[in-house]
Amino acid sequence: MTPARRPTLADVAREVGVSAKTVSRVLNEDGPSSPDTRRRVLEAVAKLGFQPNLMARSIRTGGPDTTVGLVVPDMSNPFFGAVAGGIEDAVRTRGLTLLMGSSHDDPHREQALIDTFLARRVSVLMVAPAVGTEHSRLQAHRAAGMPVVFLDRPGTGLTTDTVVSTNRAGTREGVAHLIAGGHSRIGFVGDVPTRLYTRRERLAGYREALADAGLPHDRALVADAHDPATAAEATARLLDLRDPPTALLSGNNTMTLGVLTQLARSGNKGVAVVAFDDVPIASILEPALTVVAQNPTAVGATAGAIAIRRLTGDRARARTVLVETHLIPRGSGELAPRPGR
């Protein structure tokens, strides 16, 4: 059985009995046409289910497509899903459509996605960069007027608009909260690679909070992981130390899943936990999870607003916008150290 063919401009023209040029003129509103011709063309478009090829039109006219290209490390991460939602809400007011791809934190895959988006002449390019990606070659596109916005992490080799959370200040607040509750042995479970911007900033906030309180930085209390399973293993190693931590700061929502899994598995209910980034189940845990919450929707909305300003002629210097985090005490971060610790 021959698969159904998508209707073309020529099919619409044949249905109406006019030239393809006349149909194009009606659909693009770029020339005169009688009310009757316009009505018959639109009726034929609806009858046949014709969809204009916007990408082909942008190539033909030399203009940009009506899309925003977004590259994120992991589309399954709720944080980036909320970021995408914020972007979409902002740009659809300008008639732009969001296209999204996942780099899996692989610089080669990120570059391939960027090349794909550039080939289809996106109006805006937004990227949450992978460690190791070089972005200097985007300078020509930015200079030509295409907005380039980095999200969650700065890029490398390109000065352009960037929107990030207050990672360092937020972690410092979370650790200070634990210290105020009487904890002096506080573990940090962070993601890898260790060169990742968010990891570096959050670890810096952890160390600053310890220094502010006059507490030493014990390298043995800092663990690395790359998924929930390895975060659980890292947590187990921390709790097996001769002088284990009485509290833990998990470096992101993925790390948190592993930390909580290991605490539940071991039956260890006495360790206080503050998580960087909120998780959907935070309020139903026992005790409920204390978090340093980011605002991913605001990150996306801010990036979208910046892109729209650039599209409408803003030529100001590139800026870095910080989106505030805030501490939400729910119970897990308020557990006191056990006596004698």
Side-chain angles (χ1 to χ4, degrees), residues 64-76:
D65 195 4
T66 57
T67 54
V68 174
L70 171 64
V71 181
V72 299
D74 181 5
M75 287 195 290
S76 68

Side-chain angles (χ1 to χ4, degrees), residues 12 36 65 95 102 121 129 194 209 274 279 285 292 295 317 319:
V12 176
D36 181 63
D65 195 4
S102 174
R121 300 172 186 256
T194 56
V274 171
V279 295
L285 296 171
V292 176
N295 190 341
R317 294 179 62 180
R319 69 204 76 172

Side-chain angles (χ1 to χ4, degrees), residues 110 114 125-129 135-136 138 148-164 299 303:
E110 177 187 314
I114 289 174
L125 179 65
M126 297 186 179
V127 183
H135 302 97
S136 57
L138 293 175
V148 178
V149 184
F150 291 130
L151 298 160
D152 189 52
R153 318 159 181 179
T156 302
L158 178 69
T159 301
T160 194
D161 298 311
T162 303
V163 183
V164 297
V299 170

Side-chain angles (χ1 to χ4, degrees), residues 7-46:
T8 66
L9 197 74
D11 294 330
V12 176
R14 203 160 32 244
E15 178 76 16
V16 180
V18 296
S19 68
K21 185 175 182 180
T22 296
V23 173
S24 176
R25 191 162 55 238
V26 169
L27 295 180
N28 295 320
E29 299 182 349
D30 60 359
S33 60
S34 70
D36 181 63
T37 298
R38 175 177 171 78
R39 177 186 58 77
R40 290 190 294 122
V41 166
L42 294 179
E43 286 176 352
V45 165

Side-chain angles (χ1 to χ4, degrees), residues 19-330:
S19 68
K21 185 175 182 180
T22 296
V23 173
S24 176
R25 191 162 55 238
V26 169
L27 295 180
N28 295 320
E29 299 182 349
D30 60 359
S33 60
S34 70
D36 181 63
T37 298
R38 175 177 171 78
R39 177 186 58 77
R40 290 190 294 122
V41 166
L42 294 179
E43 286 176 352
V45 165
K47 175 183 176 182
L48 298 176
F50 172 70
Q51 291 290 329
N53 188 333
L54 297 179
M55 183 178 175
R57 181 176 182 272
S58 71
I59 293 173
R60 189 168 61 248
T61 62
D65 195 4
T66 57
T67 54
V68 174
L70 171 64
V71 181
V72 299
D74 181 5
M75 287 195 290
S76 68
N77 188 323
F79 174 84
F80 290 110
V83 168
I87 295 170
E88 192 166 44
D89 285 346
V91 302
R92 69 180 178 182
T93 62
R94 296 283 303 176
L96 298 174
T97 300
L98 182 65
L99 301 179
M100 188 174 173
S102 174
S103 70
H104 294 282
D105 264 324
D106 179 344
H108 300 293
R109 184 161 177 162
E110 177 187 314
Q111 194 60 69
L113 280 168
I114 289 174
D115 288 344
T116 298
F117 286 143
L118 293 177
R120 65 169 297 142
R121 300 172 186 256
V122 293
S123 295
V124 178
L125 179 65
M126 297 186 179
V127 183
V131 172
T133 308
E134 169 61 45
H135 302 97
S136 57
R137 71 189 191 92
L138 293 175
Q139 181 58 51
H141 298 277
R142 184 176 183 275
M146 183 184 74
V148 178
V149 184
F150 291 130
L151 298 160
D152 189 52
R153 318 159 181 179
T156 302
L158 178 69
T159 301
T160 194
D161 298 311
T162 303
V163 183
V164 297
S165 298
T166 52
N167 294 284
R168 185 179 299 211
T171 309
R172 190 169 63 238
E173 183 181 18
V175 175
H177 182 71
L178 291 169
I179 294 171
H183 297 277
S184 59
R185 295 282 292 171
I186 301 170
F188 177 90
V189 182
D191 55 350
V192 291
T194 56
R195 292 182 296 141
L196 185 66
Y197 168 81
T198 49
R199 153 70 185 237
R200 288 188 289 107
E201 285 294 293
R202 293 168 195 174
L203 181 60
Y206 164 82
R207 297 187 63 172
E208 287 175 4
L210 295 176
D212 291 343
L215 296 174
H217 172 238
D218 185 346
R219 292 180 182 272
L221 293 178
V222 175
D224 303 330
H226 61 80
D227 58 24
T230 54
E233 293 169 2
T235 302
R237 288 194 298 272
L238 289 175
L239 298 179
D240 284 342
L241 291 173
R242 178 173 296 180
D243 187 9
T246 62
L248 296 171
L249 189 293
S250 62
N252 65 21
N253 53 11
T254 301
M255 300 301 100
T256 298
L257 294 177
V259 169
L260 296 179
T261 296
Q262 182 56 35
L263 291 177
R265 183 183 294 152
S266 64
N268 195 332
K269 298 181 179 180
V271 176
V273 177
V274 171
F276 195 99
D277 209 3
D278 212 348
V279 295
I281 62 172
S283 62
I284 63 174
L285 296 171
E286 182 57 46
L289 186 65
T290 295
V291 301
V292 176
Q294 299 189 84
N295 190 341
T297 302
V299 170
T302 300
I306 289 172
I308 289 170
R309 288 199 299 270
R310 294 299 188 191
L311 286 173
T312 53
D314 182 357
R315 295 294 177 263
R317 294 179 62 180
R319 69 204 76 172
T320 295
V321 179
L322 298 176
V323 176
E324 294 288 336
T325 58
H326 63 285
L327 180 72
I328 305 176
R330 294 195 180 109

